[in-house]
Amino acid sequence: MILLWSISVKLFGQEAQFNSLEMALKTAKHDTTKCRILLSLIDVLPENRTQNYNNQLLEISKRNLVKESPLKKIYLKYYANGINQIGVTYLTQGDLTKALDNFNKSLKIQEQIDEKKDMTTTFNNIGAIYFTKGDISNAVLYFNRSLEIQKNIGDKAGISYSYNNIGSIYLNQGNVPKALENYFLCLNVREEVGDKLGIADILNNIGTIYLKQNDLVKALEFYNKSLTINEEMNNKNGIAKVFNNIASVYKAQGNLSNSLEYYSKSLKISIASGNKSITANSYINIGNIYVLKNEFEKAIEYYNLSLKIYTEIEDKRGIASSLSKIGLIYFNKNNLNKALDYSLKSMEISQALGYPENIKVAANILKKIYAAQGKYDIALQNYELYIQMSDSISNQETRKASIKSQLKYEYEKKAAADSVKVAEEKKLTTLKLRQEQSQRYFLYGGLGLTILFGIFMFNRFRVTQKQKNIIEEQKLIVEHQKAIADEKQKEILDSIHYAKRIQQSLLPTEKFINRKLRINKS
């Protein structure tokens, strides 16, 4: 049996965050801070490692609810989260009754405080329980209630999980086009928000659709993509699921040894992690291998182990599958009465669920039993039902729908990438134009300043030239006046010299006077 269903109870899981959160918890002083850190630790760890932290969350929040305080609503939120996580643990262990009880308690508190985002997670978990029980109408109701709120509050991660869950219902009903439509919608959102674990989960589911259509190359391609991410994130449950499905590919190829190896790997991991659903699925698949090897006693041993677990966890689809397989073993052992008894029980449950895969398997076994009993009319009816169910699961239209959905997804992804590229190029072009515009402004500004400076310098040159001309004119005037003054001065000096000569010619000479003086003295 191929693992189709995945219960999406957490939005993210990052083992790398664990150490830093542990350190933060040790140093946290306030209860609200401690609760927030504990909730984060629960989110990043697998369910089998969350119990201690969830107990602390419940203890702290419950202690603070006793006293009245403005923070009461916050502690109610944390308390509801703690109860919800208990439900998740029971769900993983396969105790659907206790899981549903805790989810309903959590939902009541969340509705009381109008905590819409937490309500959507609880709706999804309740839907998962109804899906497992085979109550499809209630499963769809809760998944759609979750999706409606998620769209209103813009919770993209939550939207992706609702798409995944709705897609799983459509797939089990044999509506491949609708299943693929929801799976690719889920994948788009998960890639957008970067939810790696969610991407791995949906790639696994898409791979299963291709496996059901016998497109083994495509199936293995998607399974390997899923496995790479799960191993990178150390997600044990995810690895176990993918191993199971890869084993189914090897089985379809006729490689029984590799198939048994991968089923056994899946079983080992699921038992260690306590995931009963994957464990039961591995048991039934290993039983299938032993049937192909004609080791019927070993096969029925594994089928009974799977039936026991599926009955414990109230998984009707699993119960129907196990009953069909046991019926086939009794047919091969020629015990037609027991074979008919188990196969009819399987058909009854399968038709109530409305799952084509289960109906197809039961119809095929019933056809063989009735033919062996000589009841050819009833055998023919079951053969026709087998063909009808086979066609609803894998036909030309569903193959086209698969290709169309993938091409649409790839086109939208490419278109989104192209639009981002165009937007980036547009930004670069706009930036470049702005830079060029700024450069032009600087150029024009510089040119304007140069012109203004040129005009200023030209004016200064004209003023300087004018001043120079005035100075030169004044210099000429001064030089002319100086020449006139020099001429006047020369004329005066010449007059003085002339007068002096006349005077000297009329007066006695100094020698003459001295001589006269000496004569008189004698």
Side-chain angles (χ1 to χ4, degrees), residues 367-394:
K367 173 204 72 174
K368 293 177 180 179
I369 295 169
Y370 285 123
Q373 290 178 335
K375 298 176 182 179
Y376 299 111
D377 288 345
I378 306 176
L380 180 60
Q381 289 173 17
N382 278 279
Y383 179 67
E384 288 172 348
L385 182 59
Y386 168 78
I387 295 299
Q388 182 186 340
M389 293 300 105
S390 297
D391 287 345
S392 70
I393 296 166
S394 178

Side-chain angles (χ1 to χ4, degrees), residues 38 79 98 115 124 133 180 200 215 328 334 349 360 393 404 430:
L38 286 165
Y79 186 63
K98 286 184 178 179
E115 192 62 45
N124 255 330
K133 285 172 154 300
L180 276 172
D215 190 342
L328 179 62
N334 206 31
I349 296 170
K360 182 187 84 167
I393 296 166
K404 185 178 178 182
T430 304

